Amino acid sequence: MVNLEKKTKRIILIASVIGIIIIIISFPIYLFVPNLIFVKHVIDDSFWAANYIAYADLDGDNDQDLVGCAYYGDDIAWWEYSEGNFTKHFIDSSFTRVIHVHPEDLDRDGDIDILATSEVLDQLAWWENNGTHFTKHVITSSYDHPLRINSIDFDNDGDIDILSTSINEVSWWENEGNLNFTQHAVSSDLNSTFDEHHHFIHAVDLNRDGNLDLVTGGASTSHGGLFCWKNEGNGTFTKISVTNNYMRVHDVRTGDMDRDGDLDFVCGSFSSDELSWFENRGDFNLIKHNIAVNFDGSNGGFPCDLDRDGDMDVVGLAYNGEKISWFENVGFNNFNEHIISEDVDQATSCCVFDIDKDSDLDIFSAAGSEIAFWENTLSN
């Protein structure tokens, strides 16, 4: 009987050790996360009032390039990346007060075109990528103070439609074929839409009824916040306010933060200095989880698995704090802040992707008149 008990205890001990070994083998990066170090490289220091940046393979060479817009410079430009160097190319240098750019293969010819908004010209426009140059096409010149633009096959007819916000409208633009677009109103009350000042716009089927709904961020100091627009399926939309006292939402990003198979939302409240993610529980039920508080002038965040441990971290910008940080997801809705720099003046936009193909994610920032590349040295 004594021998049997000893054998049983030995078996339990061996099983426990094997279990610990399996956990360590299965999650080596999670248990031993290295201290990520980012080396700054200035790509451009004369891009006047850099407002937004994004990435896409614009030259078809199978690596990602960078594209951005300069609000006071009236410029849309892209930076070609090759073997550690960036070469600047102008797409347009007279698109007055350009506020947003968005890459998309709008004409479905296999290369990436550029969509953009001009706050002063009242234009939504797109630039056709012809391989060696870009040709401008105006979608409209009568969209009062356009702000943000996005694209998706909104009506599920096989072509790319456009989503947009302006100072007093939220709209989608139906691609009627041959790249002719017809505007459809999403917002119905110009006054309240003006008060809310909607910026970023995304399309997600939030209630899984087969119709794409919309999510926007309101940048107003008194009526802003996160909003859903329920697609009723008959051409009308019902606005749903998600937040209370969460003002000046400039930037909204999507990502599956909880790995449950649907898209959640990451954004910041400039007024309350919060960086948050909103858990999508379906049927317009978005639950707020704070990533950071006292993040001075929170200008949004970019979700990504920066430390390669299998969960979603967030890179965030603090405009007033002149700070760029990454927030490590340590589980159970807890995030640890790692400051990358506290010398990023007027940070407006960031994006994250592996530009140098070394299997780790690099960070790009737009701040003031500077475009910067923060090289992740994890793989070095």
Side-chain angles (χ1 to χ4, degrees), residues 50-197:
N51 203 51
Y52 188 75
I53 52 174
Y55 63 92
D57 181 9
L58 288 173
D59 52 3
D61 63 353
N62 296 316
D63 59 29
Q64 299 296 320
D65 308 297
L66 192 68
V67 61
C69 59
Y71 183 77
Y72 287 126
D74 304 332
D75 296 325
I76 302 172
W78 70 282
W79 292 265
E80 178 184 0
Y81 179 79
S82 178
E83 299 180 352
N85 298 309
F86 292 88
T87 302
K88 185 177 183 179
H89 305 274
F90 285 99
I91 295 172
D92 197 312
S93 56
S94 59
F95 198 52
T96 310
R97 300 299 183 265
V98 52
I99 197 167
H100 193 212
V101 292
H102 173 68
E104 175 64 81
D105 184 7
L106 194 62
D107 53 10
R108 294 292 182 94
D109 65 350
D111 53 29
I112 302 298
D113 310 301
I114 298 296
L115 295 85
T117 60
S118 166
E119 194 174 26
V120 170
L121 298 177
D122 293 341
Q123 283 188 6
L124 303 180
W126 70 283
W127 284 257
E128 180 183 357
N129 187 343
N130 297 310
T132 58
H133 65 281
F134 288 82
T135 302
K136 180 182 178 181
H137 303 273
V138 175
I139 299 166
T140 181
S141 294
S142 57
Y143 195 58
D144 189 20
H145 284 76
L147 296 172
R148 305 294 178 175
I149 193 166
N150 207 338
S151 59
I152 194 170
D153 183 3
F154 192 70
D155 53 7
N156 196 32
D157 65 351
D159 54 27
I160 300 296
D161 308 299
I162 293 173
L163 315 174
S164 67
T165 59
S166 75
I167 197 170
N168 54 22
E169 292 183 79
V170 177
S171 310
W172 76 277
W173 301 75
E174 181 181 359
N175 188 341
E176 301 279 9
N178 297 319
L179 297 169
N180 294 311
F181 294 90
T182 299
Q183 181 183 3
H184 298 276
V186 173
S187 55
S188 56
D189 183 350
L190 294 180
N191 291 329
S192 66
T193 307
F194 176 84
D195 289 341
E196 292 152 358
H197 206 63

Side-chain angles (χ1 to χ4, degrees), residues 198-217:
H198 295 269
H199 273 235
F200 273 78
I201 181 168
H202 296 277
V204 180
D205 185 1
L206 289 169
N207 57 352
R208 300 185 180 182
D209 65 350
N211 298 315
L212 286 173
D213 310 295
L214 297 170
V215 175
T216 58

Side-chain angles (χ1 to χ4, degrees), residues 219-257:
S220 166
T221 57
S222 55
H223 297 87
L226 192 65
F227 296 86
C228 298
W229 303 81
K230 180 182 178 182
N231 186 344
E232 302 291 356
N234 58 2
T236 64
F237 295 80
T238 300
K239 181 175 65 178
I240 301 168
S241 179
V242 175
T243 54
N244 292 310
N245 299 318
Y246 197 79
M247 307 302 173
R248 297 189 71 182
V249 177
H250 294 116
D251 191 321
V252 180
R253 305 283 184 161
T254 61
D256 187 1
M257 293 294 295

